Amino acid sequence: MKHYNIPIFLPELACPFRCVYCNQFSITGKQKLPDIQTVKDTIDKYITTFKEDDRFVEVAFFGGNFTGLPEKMQDDLMRIVQPYLEKGLVDGIRCSTRPDYIDEKRVKILKTMGMRNIELGAQTTNDMVLRKCGRGHSFEDIKNASQIIVNEGVTLGLQMMLGLPFDSFENDMQTARDIVRLGAKETRIYPCIVVKDTELERLYKNDEYFPLSLDDAVEQSATLYEFFTENDVKVLRIGLHTSEDLNGDAFVAGPYHKNFAEMVLSRVWGRKFDKINEKSNEITIEVPENELNHAIGYKGENKLKLLERYKHVVISTGAKRNEEISSYDVTIIASSMMPAEAKETLSKMGSVTWLEPSDLAYPSISSHPDIFFFCKDERHCESVICAPDNSVGNKYPDTCRFNAVGVGNILIHNLKYTDKKILDLYRNLSTKSVQINVNQGYTRCNLLALNETNYITSDLGIKRVLEDHNFNVFYVDPHQITLPGQKYGFFPGCCGLVDDNLVVCGSISRLKECKELRKFVRRNGVKIIELYNGELIDVGSIFFVRQKA
């Protein structure tokens, strides 16, 4: 089941304290409470983006001291969500708040209105550190609030911060042990950073506070993550949310990095690999699909370390990979700009004609096969239509005339731009052709035909048109795809088909739709071959052409 949060960020209007590290405006960029219409609009906007039927959705009131708001204000915010709960569009509500603003009566009321999870900003369970940091509450307050929440059957979350002033990692581990002991089922791990206009900034500039280095914060967070995982506490987040403020003037010093969580999870897997004692020149390691990138490591660090010990290293999800691929009696047409590792894998599948960049099209697509070739029935293709010399122009629509999709008697393209040779081919079919017009001229870049009724696309317009023809269409958000020279590419442009295999330039584990995409492909009797473990790159399609019998 896919879990979604709909975040409603609240300012610290209800907090009477200002911790040494806190400048809430720099963290949230908010100054006033969102009004009712804004909250409704936010919920509506998020709901329209959820694709899975099997999902669990929570409205999350984050960023402030929710139970410290006036009770009427709390109730008003909760009432906004009630119609969504009643219609089944939302499954629950969660909030973050302070430990000293919890009482049994309030928790009972919130629970009746759909509050399922309450996260307390504990930060540390050491009374001396709490006092020095100006938290305004004690460990006793944390214990009492936790007990009330657990007794009411609401899921308890306890957030912690490492590297606080006057603290130590020994204290941090005690905080982690206390979090487990108090019955928390969830936690968040935040490294302390120095933010502008805070007491901590003054201490830092006076050499009275020394933040953790990035590497120390990663190392300690990895240890905490392992401890929580072993004790069945779900780690909801590692590291601060990135924001324009923290990426700008608000950040002063400390272990802040936009990829902090990736670094930590990479370190966790690196430790596992350090324990491997395989006596061999090569090693193959299978990991869960959603952990593949972390296992390979931040910037590939874990695989690189393994390569110091083994001549050949494969880290995979068990999907069909380089060592297992078959060779086909085909000519493969592919872009020469494909990453070297992907090119090496593809070369094992058949004889490859590598297209070099051409002056006939603009640079980002100048080596793309689908600009210069039309390939019909890609899974079992026996011929292609090639663009004659100088027939491809340097600007759209002259660059899209061969970028069509053809499967069986179906032709899909922006038909006012389709090359005459392709139209003639369909005009002369033994069965009557079905020609479907779409607005997108770069149709093959945006559409892959698994068969005559099942398609993958990165274009919502194409999706709507094909669904109007009662076809099954799976949509992949194009913003996840790299296309050098452009803001993003398109998933079908990463792909080729040969027999029952979908060949992809990159790892689909990087897609948010990964799990559902695998199911869709599998239902159509197709297996996935990933040419390498890296980012998904739109290489202008990959064509496999057989010799005619």
Side-chain angles (χ1 to χ4, degrees):
M1 179 181 290
K2 183 75 172 178
H3 182 271
Y4 290 103
N5 272 345
I6 301 176
I8 308 295
F9 288 99
L10 309 175
E12 284 281 18
L13 299 180
C15 185
F17 305 99
R18 187 62 71 222
C19 303
V20 294
Y21 51 78
C22 183
N23 178 343
Q24 191 63 24
F25 176 74
S26 295
I27 300 297
T28 65
K30 302 286 184 181
Q31 287 182 299
K32 61 181 182 179
L33 202 70
D35 57 34
I36 291 175
Q37 191 58 50
T38 299
V39 175
K40 285 182 177 178
D41 290 345
T42 301
I43 296 173
D44 290 337
K45 177 184 175 182
Y46 272 84
I47 286 175
T48 60
T49 66
F50 301 152
K51 301 178 180 65
E52 297 85 358
D53 293 328
D54 187 19
R55 65 185 186 229
F56 186 87
V57 179
E58 287 184 312
V59 172
F61 292 108
F62 285 152
N65 177 21
F66 185 80
T67 56
L69 295 170
E71 290 188 1
K72 182 181 184 305
M73 195 176 290
Q74 294 178 51
D75 293 344
D76 287 345
L77 288 167
M78 296 289 287
R79 288 192 189 99
I80 297 172
V81 190
Q82 299 309 300
Y84 299 94
L85 290 168
E86 292 166 3
K87 294 176 183 177
L89 297 173
V90 167
D91 300 286
I93 305 171
R94 68 164 57 230
C95 74
S96 59
T97 193
R98 287 176 57 92
D100 49 341
Y101 279 77
I102 289 290
D103 64 71
E104 187 175 340
K105 179 183 176 183
R106 181 86 296 230
V107 174
K108 285 181 182 292
I109 292 171
L110 293 175
K111 182 182 178 183
T112 64
M113 300 180 78
M115 186 72 73
R116 289 176 171 267
N117 302 64
I118 297 179
E119 296 183 44
L120 301 178
Q123 317 311 1
T124 178
T125 57
N126 185 284
D127 276 325
M128 182 274 291
V129 179
L130 287 170
R131 185 172 63 256
K132 292 274 192 178
C133 288
R135 284 291 296 166
H137 66 77
S138 66
F139 179 35
E140 192 66 26
D141 294 319
I142 297 172
K143 288 194 290 185
N144 292 338
S146 298
Q147 192 66 56
I148 289 170
I149 293 167
V150 171
N151 287 348
E152 288 301 323
V154 176
T155 299
L156 170 66
L158 286 171
Q159 304 169 1
M160 70 170 294
M161 187 175 287
L162 72 156
L164 286 166
F166 317 106
D167 211 349
S168 66
F169 187 58
E170 182 181 348
N171 286 340
D172 291 333
M173 284 305 302
Q174 183 57 51
T175 294
R177 288 189 286 270
D178 289 332
I179 286 173
V180 172
R181 181 170 58 85
L182 292 173
K185 298 300 180 185
E186 301 172 338
T187 190
R188 297 176 193 263
I189 304 170
Y190 297 121
C192 183
I193 66 169
V194 182
V195 177
K196 189 176 180 181
D197 298 329
T198 61
E199 174 64 12
L200 196 58
E201 181 187 22
R202 186 190 67 78
L203 293 173
Y204 170 72
K205 289 184 175 179
N206 290 338
D207 290 333
E208 298 176 57
Y209 171 69
F210 301 94
L212 293 173
S213 69
L214 181 60
D215 189 67
D216 283 346
V218 168
E219 185 72 13
Q220 293 178 17
S221 296
T223 299
L224 290 166
Y225 178 87
E226 289 174 331
F227 175 80
F228 286 127
T229 302
E230 290 167 3
N231 287 278
D232 298 320
V233 177
K234 185 177 183 180
V235 180
L236 298 176
R237 184 169 184 85
I238 310 171
L240 291 166
H241 289 270
T242 59
S243 69
E244 290 183 7
D245 298 299
L246 290 179
N247 291 333
D249 295 338
F251 173 69
V252 176
Y256 171 67
H257 196 285
K258 65 179 181 178
N259 295 317
F260 186 79
E262 184 180 349
M263 293 175 175
V264 172
L265 295 173
S266 172
R267 188 70 54 90
V268 170
W269 275 98
R271 291 177 179 179
K272 294 179 182 179
F273 295 159
D274 287 342
K275 297 175 182 177
I276 293 175
N277 194 28
E278 182 76 21
K279 303 297 183 183
S280 173
N281 286 329
E282 57 184 58
I283 188 169
T284 298
I285 304 170
E286 291 190 7
V287 300
E289 186 175 287
N290 62 344
E291 292 287 338
L292 179 61
N293 292 335
H294 302 143
I296 293 169
Y298 179 64
K299 294 186 176 180
E301 62 182 2
N302 293 335
K303 187 170 184 180
L304 290 173
K305 284 181 66 178
L306 285 168
L307 284 168
E308 294 174 2
R309 299 162 55 193
Y310 304 96
K311 289 184 178 180
H312 188 61
V313 175
V314 175
I315 304 173
S316 75
T317 61
K320 196 172 186 182
R321 298 209 58 82
N322 303 12
E323 301 74 31
E324 304 167 349
I325 62 173
S326 301
S327 177
Y328 298 88
D329 185 18
V330 294
T331 297
I332 306 170
I333 306 172
S335 169
S336 64
M337 305 307 288
M338 186 180 291
E341 188 178 349
K343 292 173 75 173
E344 180 182 352
T345 306
L346 189 62
S347 296
K348 296 176 182 178
M349 302 182 71
S351 175
V352 186
T353 297
W354 298 107
L355 295 190
E356 298 294 336
S358 166
D359 293 335
L360 296 177
Y362 54 86
S364 59
I365 62 171
S366 63
S367 65
H368 283 198
D370 53 25
I371 300 301
F372 303 96
F373 298 91
F374 169 74
C375 185
K376 182 178 180 295
D377 296 314
E378 290 186 42
R379 287 174 70 171
H380 308 285
C381 180
E382 292 189 348
S383 65
V384 296
I385 294 177
C386 307
D389 291 342
N390 299 319
S391 64
V392 173
N394 202 265
K395 295 181 180 180
Y396 185 89
D398 293 333
T399 48
C400 79
R401 301 195 185 280
F402 292 83
N403 203 274
V405 170
V407 54
N409 67 333
I410 301 170
L411 174 66
I412 306 168
H413 198 209
N414 188 321
L415 296 172
K416 65 182 177 181
Y417 300 139
T418 311
D419 185 83
K420 183 177 183 297
K421 287 186 177 181
I422 300 173
L423 294 174
D424 287 344
L425 170 66
Y426 276 83
R427 192 176 295 118
N428 296 325
L429 290 179
S430 57
T431 58
K432 185 178 180 181
S433 68
V434 177
Q435 299 185 18
I436 300 174
N437 185 67
V438 294
N439 288 330
Q440 175 60 265
Y442 292 124
T443 307
R444 175 57 187 85
C445 293
N446 280 279
L447 184 66
L448 185 72
L450 298 181
N451 49 51
E452 293 181 40
T453 56
N454 293 276
Y455 299 82
I456 301 170
T457 188
S458 284
D459 186 285
L460 289 172
I462 291 177
K463 183 175 187 291
R464 284 191 290 269
V465 171
L466 296 190
E467 287 179 339
D468 286 344
H469 284 77
N470 296 316
F471 295 150
N472 301 313
V473 186
F474 189 93
Y475 176 75
V476 176
D477 186 344
H479 296 86
Q480 306 168 94
I481 311 302
T482 296
L483 175 56
Q486 302 295 329
K487 291 182 178 179
Y488 54 85
F490 308 103
F491 178 71
C494 305
C495 302
L497 289 164
V498 55
D499 290 347
D500 295 332
N501 295 304
L502 169 59
V503 180
V504 186
C505 185
S507 174
I508 70 167
S509 65
R510 295 170 178 260
L511 295 174
K512 61 187 178 184
E513 305 92 350
C514 174
K515 185 176 180 180
E516 293 74 21
L517 176 60
R518 286 193 186 278
K519 289 180 181 177
F520 182 80
V521 170
R522 191 163 52 244
R523 284 198 300 269
N524 284 281
V526 176
K527 299 177 183 177
I528 295 173
I529 298 176
E530 297 174 343
L531 294 179
Y532 80 124
N533 276 328
E535 63 183 343
L536 289 155
I537 301 179
D538 184 341
V539 290
S541 309
I542 306 166
F543 294 144
F544 296 79
V545 186
R546 299 180 185 279
Q547 297 298 319
K548 287 186 177 180

